[in-house]
Every structure is written in C-alpha cells, then in structure tokens.
Amino acid sequence: MSEWPEGRSNDNRGDRYGRGSASAQPEGARVMRQVRRGEPSAPPYGAPQQGGGYGGVPQQPAYGNGYADGSGYDNGYDSGYNSGQVYGGGPGGGGPGDQYAREPRPAPNWRKRIKWTAIVVLSVLIVTSVATYFWADSKLHRDVDLSKVIDRPAAGAGTNYLIVGSDSRKGMSDEDKKKLHTGSAEGQRTDSMMILHVGDNGDTLVSLPRDSDVEIPSYQGSTSGKVYKGTGRHTKLNAAYAEDGPTLLVRTVEFNTGLHIDHYVEIGFAGFADIVDAVGGVTIDIDKGFKDKYSGADFKSGEQTLNGEQALAFVRTRHAFAASDLQRTKNQQKFLAALAHQVATPSTVLNPFKLYPTLGAGLDSLTVDKDMSLWDLASMFFAMKDVNGGDGTSMNMPVSGSTGGNLVWDKAKVKTLVDELKNDQKVTVTSD
C-alpha cells in the first residue's frame, strides 16, 4: 500500500531524522549544560582539529540551554563528561585535572598496637599457665596418708621431704625388666632414701643408706589401722618400707632421727628412666669408670650423656664399689642434681615438645602424700637443683661403724645435724 492515512503524507515528514527523511542532517542530540571546572589538559573528544573539521564527524550545533534545537529544556544536571571529571572530581578522585589533593593515610598508632599485642600475649600466657597447672595437678598420685603416722615429733623451721626411690616394677613388662636389669622379685623395697631440707639458710640433702641399722617403733598399720607395739627390734631401714610401706618408713625415720617429715615423694624404676628419656638424656661427669653385672652398668670415665636405661644402672650400682651403699648414695645425689639442672635449662623449659613430655613422665611416676601441692613439689625440685652448689649441702647420714652388716649412725653427729635442721641453721656436720 502506497497511500498514507488521512492527514499524513510523505511530504509532510519534513527533515526529522529517523522518519525516513532523505536529509543528511540528523536530529540534534539531546545534551546537558556544560559547566567548566577547569581547562582540560587535552581537547575533549570531538573538538575541532587543526585545519578545521571534527575528524570526519559532522559539526554539532553549539551547546546551549536544553536541546540543540533551542527547545529550552534544562534540568540543571551536569554530567561532567565535558570537563573530564566524571570519575575524578572531588576528594579522593584521581582523574585528569583533579584539583583536590588525596588525603594522606593516617600514621599507625604504634602505642595502641603494642598495648593490644601485650594484652593478647599476656592473656594467652595466663590461660596456658592455668590450664597447665590443673593438668599437672590432676596427674599427681596423692596416695600416702601421713595422718596415719603416730607419735610424731614437733615440726621445726623449714620443710623436710623424704624422697624415696623404690624398686617397684608396677606396669613393667618382662622385656622392660630384662632391659633395665631390675629382676622379677616380688614385693616392693627401697633402693634409695633421702631427706631434703629446704630452708632460708641453704638447702641440705642427706642420704640414708638402705642398710642403716634402725629400730622399728610402734606404728599404726596402713591398711588395718591396728597399732603394733614396738619391741625394740632392729633391722635395715629399707625393711621398714617392705613391711608396711611409706607410712611405716616415715614413722621409722622420724623415730630414729627426731626430725619431722613434712612431705613424702616416691618414684619407681620405670618412672625414673622415663623422665631421663623425656628430657633427652642427662649429661654427667663420671670420675672413674666401673662395671656391674647386677645393674647392667658399664661406664668409662669422663663426661657423657646417659639415657634412661644407663641412668638407672648408674644410680643402682653398689657391688662395683668398696664403699658399697655409701658410694651409691653419693652417685644418686650427683645424678639427681644433674637431672634437675637438665630439666631447668631453657632448651627444656621453653620447648613445649620437651617440657610437657618431661612433666608428664615425672608426674605420672610420682607417688606423694595427700597434702603435697605443686608449689611444694616445685620447691623440692629447685632445692634439689641447688644442693650441689652455692649454699647447698649434700651428704650421707654420719656413720660410726657397722653391726651384723648394718651401718650404725654416729649418734652425736646425728643429733647435731637434726638440731641444725630443726632450727634451719647452716649445717656444720659432715659425714666424713
């Protein structure tokens, strides 16, 4: 169909662009008012080029208010395209011709950062310390009830620990017994006994030879609760432990010395070896080499690091020495001091992969009295570390001779020693 509707004709379309006009002039583009904010560094796109013309694009009508056809429409909006500041205008921009300076980044508040770092570190340390305390406290075996010990001497100044190394084979396999040369004897005895006095005038470690001649006094049975009257019977000190365990041993030591025992600590064969292995071995200087087929000892002289098996052989050996048990007690004191020093080194204390296994092995292996706290145990440990140096004293119980194979204590020296310990005085007595 070539006819247009009434009132319309192809001739009336005029020169409007997009209506089929053959005119080369398009309808003027809708533009916004230009508000210049500064001269751009380069002519905007479409500006006249040198020599005239618009780079091949027909020149547009001059910009004015509203449409190019002069319709007068104006909404007051400035897009910014003509000034090149659509994205760069205003603070924090960055486009060409931006007249606003970028605001500087504020300097870090180091005092605040250090403060919060310190708070976080301190909080972690507190939480870790509290957790470690309760973990360690739960591992202590508080099995010895010293309230069952009767007729006790009055307590003196300072704190006295009775430290016992037993030949307990509890939890050991046949292979372990063979490896550690412990044998398979039934029952339980003590291989070493020591009194550690912790006071203000120097710490003192006194070894009690297991063959010491002592009197078994009246005592209350640890299981039956029955009181057994003393008969004046004499025997070796370690027999008291074999007869009725820790409480009778404490009662016998107190009766024969007159010294009040505040705390009891015991460790068995396997536990001792485990502690040494957990700490990575203990370095000790052996004055003279020795061998002992009973304990499995085979040592050369000089400085060397002992593992758990070797350490146990070192502290148990007595058949290789002319002084027998007296020399063994000296070796025990020497090794325990070296062990305490090794545990207290930064390489152990600051290394959780070594510290916690060491604490675990030690605490799992210890049997203590019901009133023992971790603070008491720590005090004992650090005193043990210092007895071989500084103001500390390490000695055997003074001996005057022997009877029937048992070692007889020197009564005069023992009395002086006990009086000095009771009054927390500097020890002047020697075991020589």
Side-chain angles (χ1 to χ4, degrees), residues 143-145 148-149 219-228 241 243-248:
D143 300 332
V144 179
D145 187 359
K148 294 182 178 180
V149 181
Y219 69 94
Q220 179 179 326
S222 59
T223 303
S224 65
K226 179 181 177 180
V227 175
Y228 298 90
Y241 181 93
E243 187 172 327
D244 199 43
T247 54
L248 179 54

Short mmCIF file of all heavy atoms in Angstrom, two decimals, residues 143-145 148-149 219-228 241 243-248:
data_model
loop_
_atom_site.label_atom_id
_atom_site.label_comp_id
_atom_site.label_asym_id
_atom_site.label_seq_id
_atom_site.Cartn_x
_atom_site.Cartn_y
_atom_site.Cartn_z
N ASP A 143 48.68 -40.70 97.20
CA ASP A 143 48.24 -41.97 97.78
C ASP A 143 48.71 -42.20 99.21
O ASP A 143 48.30 -43.17 99.85
CB ASP A 143 48.73 -43.14 96.91
CG ASP A 143 48.18 -43.07 95.49
OD1 ASP A 143 47.08 -42.51 95.31
OD2 ASP A 143 48.85 -43.56 94.56
N VAL A 144 49.60 -41.35 99.70
CA VAL A 144 50.19 -41.58 101.03
C VAL A 144 49.52 -40.65 102.05
O VAL A 144 49.53 -39.43 101.88
CB VAL A 144 51.72 -41.34 101.00
CG1 VAL A 144 52.30 -41.56 102.39
CG2 VAL A 144 52.37 -42.25 99.98
N ASP A 145 48.95 -41.27 103.09
CA ASP A 145 48.26 -40.52 104.13
C ASP A 145 49.14 -40.43 105.38
O ASP A 145 49.21 -41.37 106.17
CB ASP A 145 46.93 -41.21 104.45
CG ASP A 145 46.06 -40.39 105.39
OD1 ASP A 145 46.50 -39.29 105.80
OD2 ASP A 145 44.95 -40.85 105.72
N LYS A 148 48.22 -41.08 109.26
CA LYS A 148 48.25 -42.39 109.91
C LYS A 148 49.55 -42.62 110.69
O LYS A 148 49.68 -43.64 111.38
CB LYS A 148 48.08 -43.49 108.86
CG LYS A 148 46.70 -43.50 108.20
CD LYS A 148 46.57 -44.64 107.21
CE LYS A 148 45.18 -44.66 106.58
NZ LYS A 148 45.01 -45.77 105.62
N VAL A 149 50.50 -41.71 110.54
CA VAL A 149 51.77 -41.82 111.28
C VAL A 149 51.53 -41.32 112.71
O VAL A 149 51.08 -40.19 112.90
CB VAL A 149 52.88 -41.01 110.60
CG1 VAL A 149 54.18 -41.16 111.37
CG2 VAL A 149 53.06 -41.46 109.15
N TYR A 219 53.72 -48.60 115.59
CA TYR A 219 53.15 -47.93 114.42
C TYR A 219 51.74 -48.40 114.17
O TYR A 219 51.32 -49.46 114.67
CB TYR A 219 54.01 -48.19 113.19
CG TYR A 219 54.00 -49.62 112.68
CD1 TYR A 219 53.11 -50.01 111.68
CD2 TYR A 219 54.87 -50.58 113.19
CE1 TYR A 219 53.09 -51.31 111.20
CE2 TYR A 219 54.87 -51.88 112.72
CZ TYR A 219 53.97 -52.25 111.72
OH TYR A 219 53.94 -53.54 111.27
N GLN A 220 51.02 -47.62 113.41
CA GLN A 220 49.65 -47.95 113.02
C GLN A 220 49.67 -48.54 111.61
O GLN A 220 50.22 -47.94 110.69
CB GLN A 220 48.75 -46.71 113.06
CG GLN A 220 47.31 -46.96 112.64
CD GLN A 220 46.46 -45.70 112.73
OE1 GLN A 220 46.68 -44.87 113.60
NE2 GLN A 220 45.50 -45.57 111.83
N GLY A 221 49.07 -49.70 111.46
CA GLY A 221 49.06 -50.36 110.15
C GLY A 221 48.37 -49.50 109.10
O GLY A 221 47.30 -48.93 109.35
N SER A 222 48.97 -49.40 107.93
CA SER A 222 48.43 -48.53 106.88
C SER A 222 47.11 -49.04 106.32
O SER A 222 46.28 -48.26 105.85
CB SER A 222 49.44 -48.41 105.74
OG SER A 222 49.75 -49.70 105.20
N THR A 223 46.90 -50.35 106.41
CA THR A 223 45.66 -50.93 105.88
C THR A 223 44.69 -51.31 107.00
O THR A 223 43.51 -50.96 106.96
CB THR A 223 45.96 -52.19 105.04
OG1 THR A 223 46.86 -51.84 103.98
CG2 THR A 223 44.69 -52.76 104.45
N SER A 224 45.20 -51.99 108.01
CA SER A 224 44.32 -52.47 109.09
C SER A 224 43.94 -51.38 110.07
O SER A 224 42.88 -51.43 110.69
CB SER A 224 45.02 -53.60 109.85
OG SER A 224 46.17 -53.10 110.51
N GLY A 225 44.79 -50.37 110.23
CA GLY A 225 44.53 -49.33 111.21
C GLY A 225 44.88 -49.77 112.62
O GLY A 225 44.77 -48.99 113.57
N LYS A 226 45.34 -50.99 112.76
CA LYS A 226 45.70 -51.53 114.07
C LYS A 226 47.07 -51.00 114.50
O LYS A 226 47.97 -50.82 113.67
CB LYS A 226 45.74 -53.06 113.98
CG LYS A 226 46.14 -53.74 115.27
CD LYS A 226 46.18 -55.26 115.09
CE LYS A 226 46.65 -55.96 116.35
NZ LYS A 226 46.70 -57.45 116.19
N VAL A 227 47.25 -50.72 115.79
CA VAL A 227 48.52 -50.24 116.31
C VAL A 227 49.37 -51.43 116.76
O VAL A 227 48.95 -52.26 117.56
CB VAL A 227 48.31 -49.26 117.48
CG1 VAL A 227 49.67 -48.88 118.08
CG2 VAL A 227 47.55 -48.02 117.03
N TYR A 228 50.58 -51.51 116.18
CA TYR A 228 51.52 -52.58 116.52
C TYR A 228 52.58 -52.02 117.46
O TYR A 228 53.27 -51.06 117.11
CB TYR A 228 52.17 -53.15 115.25
CG TYR A 228 51.17 -53.77 114.30
CD1 TYR A 228 50.55 -53.02 113.30
CD2 TYR A 228 50.87 -55.13 114.40
CE1 TYR A 228 49.65 -53.59 112.44
CE2 TYR A 228 49.96 -55.71 113.52
CZ TYR A 228 49.36 -54.93 112.55
OH TYR A 228 48.44 -55.51 111.69
N TYR A 241 60.07 -50.22 104.95
CA TYR A 241 59.22 -49.97 103.80
C TYR A 241 58.61 -51.27 103.30
O TYR A 241 57.42 -51.34 102.97
CB TYR A 241 60.03 -49.31 102.69
CG TYR A 241 59.24 -48.98 101.44
CD1 TYR A 241 58.67 -47.73 101.28
CD2 TYR A 241 59.09 -49.92 100.42
CE1 TYR A 241 57.95 -47.43 100.14
CE2 TYR A 241 58.37 -49.64 99.29
CZ TYR A 241 57.80 -48.39 99.15
OH TYR A 241 57.07 -48.10 98.01
N GLU A 243 57.93 -53.83 105.01
CA GLU A 243 56.99 -54.38 105.99
C GLU A 243 55.61 -53.72 105.92
O GLU A 243 54.60 -54.41 105.98
CB GLU A 243 57.57 -54.20 107.40
CG GLU A 243 56.75 -54.87 108.50
CD GLU A 243 57.46 -54.84 109.83
OE1 GLU A 243 58.71 -54.91 109.86
OE2 GLU A 243 56.77 -54.76 110.87
N ASP A 244 55.55 -52.39 105.80
CA ASP A 244 54.24 -51.75 105.77
C ASP A 244 54.22 -50.45 104.96
O ASP A 244 53.41 -49.57 105.21
CB ASP A 244 53.74 -51.48 107.19
CG ASP A 244 52.23 -51.24 107.22
OD1 ASP A 244 51.49 -51.98 106.54
OD2 ASP A 244 51.80 -50.29 107.90
N GLY A 245 55.10 -50.33 104.00
CA GLY A 245 55.02 -49.23 103.06
C GLY A 245 55.47 -47.87 103.58
O GLY A 245 56.17 -47.75 104.59
N PRO A 246 55.04 -46.81 102.88
CA PRO A 246 55.53 -45.46 103.14
C PRO A 246 55.28 -44.95 104.56
O PRO A 246 56.13 -44.28 105.14
CB PRO A 246 54.76 -44.61 102.12
CG PRO A 246 54.43 -45.55 101.02
CD PRO A 246 54.18 -46.86 101.67
N THR A 247 54.10 -45.24 105.12
CA THR A 247 53.81 -44.68 106.45
C THR A 247 54.71 -45.25 107.53
O THR A 247 55.15 -44.52 108.43
CB THR A 247 52.34 -44.90 106.82
OG1 THR A 247 52.00 -46.29 106.71
CG2 THR A 247 51.43 -44.08 105.91
N LEU A 248 55.03 -46.53 107.46
CA LEU A 248 55.95 -47.11 108.44
C LEU A 248 57.37 -46.58 108.20
O LEU A 248 58.12 -46.35 109.16
CB LEU A 248 55.94 -48.63 108.38
CG LEU A 248 56.91 -49.34 109.35
CD1 LEU A 248 56.69 -48.89 110.80
CD2 LEU A 248 56.80 -50.86 109.24
#
